[in-house]
Amino acid sequence: MEPLTNKKKVLIQKPLTFSERIYLPALTKGLSITISHFFKKEATIRYPEVQREMSINWRGMHSLKRDENGRERCTACGLCALSCPAEAITMIAAERKPEEKDLYREEKYASVYEINMLRCIFCGLCEEACPKEAIYLDGPIVPSDYLRKDFIYGKDKLVEQPLEKK
Amino acid sequence: MDISFVIEKFVLVAIIFGISLVIAMYSTYAERKVAAFLQDRLGPDRAGPFGMLQPLADGLKMFMKEEIVPTNSNKILFMVGPGLAMLTACIGTAVIPWGSAITIGDRVIPLQVTDINVGLLYIFGVVSLGVYGVMIGGWASNNKYSLLSAIRAASQNISYEVSMGLSIIALLMVTNTMSLKEIVEQQHGWHWNVLYQPFGFLLFIICSFAETNRAPFDLPECETELIGGYHTEYSSMKLGFYLFAEYINMFVSSAVMATLYFGGYNYPGMDWVLLHTGPVIGPLIGTAVLFAKIFAFIFFFMWVRWTIPRFRYDQLMHLGWKTLIPLAIANIVITGLVIAIVEKF
């Protein structure tokens, strides 16, 4: 058959030369390659003790932020839940009472805020949707667990630690 | 023969047995570490500092595993197999001279269990017996893969024993003795046999790899073709014995190579050291040198394992029968010629 392209290449298998047949030169070459790796720095990171530095646009576990006075920023508008493609976020809104003024910044707040970490795909759309700069995916890797219910993170795990009182 | 002689030998046997078991134990650890370092990894480092307790953890795991004996196996032989593998692996250490004699008071204690005048033949015989553990285990399992592996092991050992024996004959022509003690004494200082028999050593080390079933000749354990090889049906400590015997074999054949070709406990400048350190410390330094050589060989075994892929079975047979045996015979002829010429002039 006429070749359709000009890429046809005839492969000629040459008989092995003497040094190739006695196998030892190739063997010493291989040994020298492996021994050079013996002295190279290993690529392993001892994970739980040593953690690799994450890239600057790394997205990890969510945290609900507080403002400069230590009040929760979230106003339970629901935009994060709406934007979430995995439907991982649910929340229940509540009205702020007068005595809770230094706990919540807005008059409406989230009394329950849950993220299902098994559903979450860490896309960061909640972070982008939030008008109050209340949620950021700046945490560590979400740890593993045994039960599905333990992956639904509530406010106890998500809200940032309160600021130090002056 | 007085009672102190018996005690002395028993102590020596116990020490050598203990040392070979500990070395075999830590060879498993070293194997994993060497493999890791050669592949830019870290290897086991969780059990104890640097993973030093890993062999103990592995041993404990082996003991805790369920012991399974296949229903249609030959029960007695199934039990005997691993024990025989361990036994034949261990008894090779008896004739190896571990150091020159220690003098305490007026008592001279040789660091060798027995100096029989056919030491070389004894080693050769024991190494050949090693295949019986594999054969019996593979046969008794009543499993096609195990049997295939046992047959492979047997035919491989027979093939490589021939060229191993022939390479030893060339060595014998140089040394004129079969006693391992005398062979080592002849290599005093730096007169190592490897300088007179470099080619014989090359043949011998290739055959040692084949006899100990180590890569690239580990066809009896070829996972891709034979599942686990002859120990497919074994579990618990019986499997542990087989794996252990392999490492003891490696230790013994490293010791044999160090003794026959690399001067045993001799090292350059040993006379000066012996003169200045006294009759106890001096020989022990020699023993330490011997162990350093053994460890170097064990490292070489591992280094080769993590470098070279396994041979195909026909390549193995081709190498054994058509390449190594003619070369070994040529080596004998050339050695004989050189000896004749040297004696003439």
Side-chain angles (χ1 to χ4, degrees):
Chain A
M1 196 184 119
E2 190 77 3
L4 297 171
T5 61
N6 57 355
K7 288 178 181 170
K8 186 182 170 193
K9 198 173 160 189
V10 180
L11 195 74
I12 305 158
Q13 226 171 10
K14 291 191 212 101
L16 295 179
T17 60
F18 179 71
S19 70
E20 280 167 343
R21 266 191 294 137
I22 59 171
Y23 195 66
L24 289 173
L27 200 146
T28 47
K29 196 175 161 194
L31 286 175
S32 65
I33 288 172
T34 45
I35 201 69
S36 74
H37 279 268
F38 194 85
F39 301 106
K40 273 188 189 147
K41 201 182 170 296
E42 59 279 353
T44 316
I45 294 169
R46 291 180 164 85
Y47 168 60
E49 294 94 42
V50 184
Q51 292 207 10
R52 185 150 72 185
E53 207 174 299
M54 297 301 182
S55 97
I56 48 162
N57 49 5
W58 151 259
R59 293 192 292 263
M61 204 174 102
H62 314 67
S63 71
L64 291 172
K65 297 291 176 194
R66 293 172 187 272
D67 70 355
E68 55 279 1
N69 297 325
R71 300 176 297 185
E72 282 178 27
R73 301 182 85 110
C74 178
T75 182
C77 62
L79 280 177
C80 47
L82 194 68
S83 71
C84 183
E87 299 183 353
I89 304 177
T90 52
M91 66 181 76
I92 295 170
E95 198 177 336
R96 183 182 73 184
K97 296 193 176 66
E99 64 270 22
E100 293 173 331
K101 214 163 181 138
D102 47 351
L103 285 179
Y104 308 108
R105 195 173 66 163
E106 311 290 336
E107 283 157 16
K108 189 177 135 204
Y109 72 96
S111 60
V112 175
Y113 192 103
E114 285 178 347
I115 299 178
N116 187 338
M117 289 300 175
L118 289 177
R119 293 199 71 118
C120 177
I121 56 169
F122 302 95
C123 61
L125 284 183
C126 47
E127 189 180 280
E128 277 176 42
C130 186
K132 299 289 181 187
E133 297 184 345
I135 187 165
Y136 282 98
L137 278 73
D138 55 358
I141 298 170
V142 175
S144 56
D145 219 322
Y146 291 99
L147 297 171
R148 281 175 181 274
K149 69 175 176 60
D150 293 334
F151 281 100
I152 297 169
Y153 282 25
K155 278 181 84 173
D156 54 325
K157 286 182 180 171
L158 293 172
V159 178
E160 212 180 23
Q161 290 301 307
L163 296 175
E164 294 280 321
K165 288 279 178 274
K166 277 159 202 142
Chain B
M1 195 169 82
D2 54 337
I3 190 74
S4 60
F5 175 78
V6 177
I7 293 171
E8 177 191 301
K9 288 299 180 196
F10 261 106
V11 169
L12 193 62
V13 167
I15 290 173
I16 291 171
F17 184 62
I19 286 177
S20 45
L21 287 192
V22 168
I23 286 181
M25 208 164 96
Y26 273 90
S27 294
T28 62
Y29 167 77
E31 174 107 81
R32 293 177 63 185
K33 273 289 186 194
V34 168
F37 285 144
L38 291 178
Q39 296 166 356
D40 298 341
R41 295 186 286 116
L42 281 173
D45 73 335
R46 294 287 133 175
F50 306 105
M52 291 296 278
L53 300 178
Q54 187 68 39
L56 295 177
D58 286 342
L60 191 69
K61 187 204 81 172
M62 284 284 187
F63 271 115
M64 306 298 268
K65 287 273 177 182
E66 187 190 352
E67 177 121 27
I68 298 166
V69 180
T71 321
N72 290 324
S73 67
N74 186 329
K75 299 279 188 311
I76 296 166
L77 289 184
F78 194 78
M79 300 279 193
V80 168
L84 200 63
M86 276 294 267
L87 179 75
T88 49
C90 285
I91 55 177
T93 51
V95 293
I96 291 167
W98 298 102
S100 42
I102 294 178
T103 315
I104 300 172
D106 54 348
R107 194 170 175 81
V108 179
I109 305 170
L111 291 183
Q112 184 182 16
V113 177
T114 173
D115 180 27
I116 48 178
N117 56 2
V118 288
L120 206 50
L121 274 184
Y122 173 86
I123 286 281
F124 194 53
V126 165
V127 169
S128 318
L129 277 178
V131 78
Y132 274 94
V134 175
M135 272 289 282
I136 289 175
W139 169 259
S141 296
N142 193 23
N143 174 321
K144 285 170 199 157
Y145 295 110
S146 300
L147 183 61
L148 268 177
S149 162
I151 293 168
R152 276 187 175 191
S155 59
Q156 175 179 327
N157 269 35
I158 290 167
S159 313
Y160 280 80
E161 243 153 52
V162 180
S163 35
M164 191 183 220
L166 290 174
S167 67
I168 285 179
I169 287 174
L171 180 75
L172 213 59
M173 289 160 75
V174 175
T175 59
N176 281 321
T177 175
M178 276 202 171
S179 156
L180 289 179
K181 183 83 183 163
E182 281 173 46
I183 290 177
V184 174
E185 293 294 335
Q186 282 171 5
Q187 305 179 60
H188 192 82
W190 53 268
H191 295 281
W192 296 356
N193 280 334
V194 69
L195 301 175
Y196 305 103
Q197 279 288 322
F199 195 65
F201 171 68
L202 185 66
L203 295 174
F204 191 86
I205 196 169
I206 292 171
C207 295
S208 297
F209 275 89
E211 296 274 308
T212 50
N213 290 335
R214 291 283 301 182
F217 304 109
D218 55 347
L219 283 118
E221 293 170 43
C222 179
E223 300 89 356
T224 43
E225 296 158 22
L226 297 174
I227 313 178
Y230 54 87
H231 50 60
T232 304
E233 295 286 357
Y234 281 91
S235 58
S236 185
M237 210 51 206
K238 290 207 195 90
L239 173 67
F241 267 26
Y242 269 126
L243 303 180
F244 222 63
E246 187 191 322
Y247 285 99
I248 298 178
N249 270 329
M250 194 164 85
F251 167 64
V252 172
S253 57
S254 297
V256 169
M257 279 190 286
T259 305
L260 292 184
Y261 288 96
F262 276 78
Y265 48 80
N266 295 301
Y267 52 97
M270 61 184 294
D271 291 323
W272 186 87
V273 175
L274 273 177
L275 203 68
H276 286 77
T277 49
V280 179
I281 305 295
L284 287 181
I285 291 175
T287 308
V289 169
L290 173 60
F291 273 96
K293 289 170 185 172
I294 292 172
F295 292 149
F297 273 116
I298 291 178
F299 175 76
F300 185 70
F301 268 96
M302 292 171 181
W303 179 14
V304 168
R305 174 166 177 189
W306 300 104
T307 302
I308 307 172
R310 197 178 283 132
F311 279 108
R312 221 168 47 216
Y313 206 75
D314 63 310
Q315 291 173 328
L316 177 91
M317 284 295 148
H318 184 273
L319 180 68
W321 289 103
K322 289 187 181 168
T323 314
L324 289 184
I325 290 175
L327 285 176
I329 292 171
N331 188 36
I332 291 172
V333 171
I334 292 166
T335 309
L337 277 176
V338 169
I339 288 173
I341 290 167
V342 167
E343 276 176 3
K344 188 103 176 163
F345 300 104

